[in-house]
Amino acid sequence: MDPVTIILYGVFPYISLLLFAGGVLYRLGSWLSASGLTGLYSVAVKGYTWSFGSRLGEVLKRVFLLYTLTMSDKMLLVGSFLFHWGIWIALLGHASMIIPPEQFGMPKEAHKAIALYAGGTAGVMSLIGLVILLIRRIVRSDVRRLSFLDDWFALILLLLLVAVGNYQTLVLRPDYMETVAPWVQSVLAGSPRLELVEHWDFATKLHVFLALLFIAYVPFGKLIHPFSFLAMPTLWKSPTKLYGYILAKIRG
């Protein structure tokens, strides 16, 4: 067996998963134990009686509708909306490699059609969103000045990952469920089937490597933000009470 294959697809998956799980738990722990503000903070004063369910609903609206981005520029709103919804749908489709829908009675051909049309549409949406966000970061001087290495690395990594995924789905159309899915299941079972990797085309190998790199990098940069809402004071703390002239001005 090629030593590069052993390292990239037999060892690196576990390093990636360990970094992801350990890093996310560490970041969550540091957020929840922080004494100061760590995220979106509620200053709602209407009634001062937001229940946990109400606060959860508000956070989920912000997460899925991204409506707070209407206060920013349109490129950020459109790019973020397309990318996030596209990637959520694509990730949901990728979950089928862990638990195949065929186990629940879905015909194999129906699964392939959903993967092609729904997955392909989601992938294109995500790619368009990323391109918009990249153009925004390049052409907007104020955004460019505030861009750090993490911003560029994360954006380029996602662009490559999604672009290769689209090429696979829309052009090559490999049989994931016969080649990649068994490898994913074997990795999670603790015994990677590296003989399957030898039958992958270069695009599949590249896509899997980029996915593992993405998973490993999540806790170390701004890609951690999907988990940050779990530590938002908006969710876990009661709304801030404002008194005196500030409250009078708000009511007025």
Side-chain angles (χ1 to χ4, degrees):
M1 182 68 66
D2 179 9
V4 174
T5 299
I6 295 174
I7 293 172
L8 293 184
Y9 305 103
V11 178
F12 187 47
Y14 296 105
I15 296 175
S16 178
L17 291 173
L18 182 62
L19 289 172
F20 177 83
V24 168
L25 289 175
Y26 174 79
R27 296 292 293 270
L28 283 174
S30 63
W31 289 330
L32 293 172
S33 62
S35 57
L37 302 184
T38 57
L40 181 65
Y41 197 72
S42 171
V43 293
V45 294
K46 189 176 181 180
Y48 307 126
T49 56
W50 270 17
S51 65
F52 177 79
S54 298
R55 296 199 299 273
L56 177 61
E58 174 64 18
V59 169
L60 291 178
K61 280 197 314 183
R62 297 183 187 205
V63 169
F64 289 104
L65 299 182
L66 303 172
Y67 72 89
T68 56
L69 293 182
T70 56
M71 295 181 288
S72 187
D73 57 279
K74 289 184 179 180
M75 290 185 75
L76 177 61
L77 174 63
V78 174
S80 295
F81 193 89
L82 288 173
F83 165 68
H84 283 92
W85 273 102
I87 207 70
W88 287 332
I89 296 171
L91 287 175
L92 182 62
H94 280 59
S96 67
M97 288 191 289
I98 301 174
I99 306 177
E102 287 82 355
Q103 292 185 4
F104 302 97
M106 177 182 287
K108 187 175 182 179
E109 293 305 314
H111 182 198
K112 285 185 176 182
I114 293 173
L116 174 60
Y117 296 108
T121 300
V124 171
M125 282 176 54
S126 183
L127 184 61
I128 293 173
L130 285 169
V131 170
I132 292 173
L133 293 175
L134 179 61
I135 293 173
R136 171 182 177 270
R137 194 166 292 278
I138 293 173
V139 302
R140 287 275 301 267
S141 60
D142 55 335
V143 177
R144 195 168 60 250
R145 282 196 301 271
L146 294 173
S147 296
F148 301 95
L149 180 61
D150 169 56
D151 299 300
W152 295 109
F153 179 78
L155 192 51
I156 293 172
L157 175 60
L158 284 169
L159 266 169
L160 290 173
L161 178 60
V162 174
V164 174
N166 281 334
Y167 176 68
Q168 288 179 284
T169 300
L170 301 175
V171 179
L172 298 180
R173 301 185 186 181
D175 194 344
Y176 299 108
M177 300 310 294
E178 299 297 329
T179 57
V180 181
W183 172 82
V184 171
Q185 295 162 15
S186 70
V187 167
L188 296 177
S191 181
R193 295 179 56 188
L194 297 180
E195 72 276 7
L196 295 170
V197 179
E198 295 181 339
H199 299 288
W200 295 353
D201 55 70
F202 176 75
T204 299
K205 291 180 179 179
L206 179 60
H207 185 67
V208 171
F209 171 74
L210 292 172
L212 292 172
L213 184 60
F214 169 79
I215 291 170
Y217 182 69
V218 164
F220 299 98
K222 294 175 183 176
L223 291 176
I224 190 67
H225 74 270
F227 298 93
S228 65
F229 84 94
L230 295 172
M232 281 183 178
T234 292
L235 193 59
W236 303 109
K237 295 183 180 180
S238 298
T240 300
K241 296 181 180 181
L242 302 181
Y243 296 98
Y245 75 95
I246 296 178
L247 182 56
K249 283 182 175 293
I250 291 175
R251 286 180 172 173

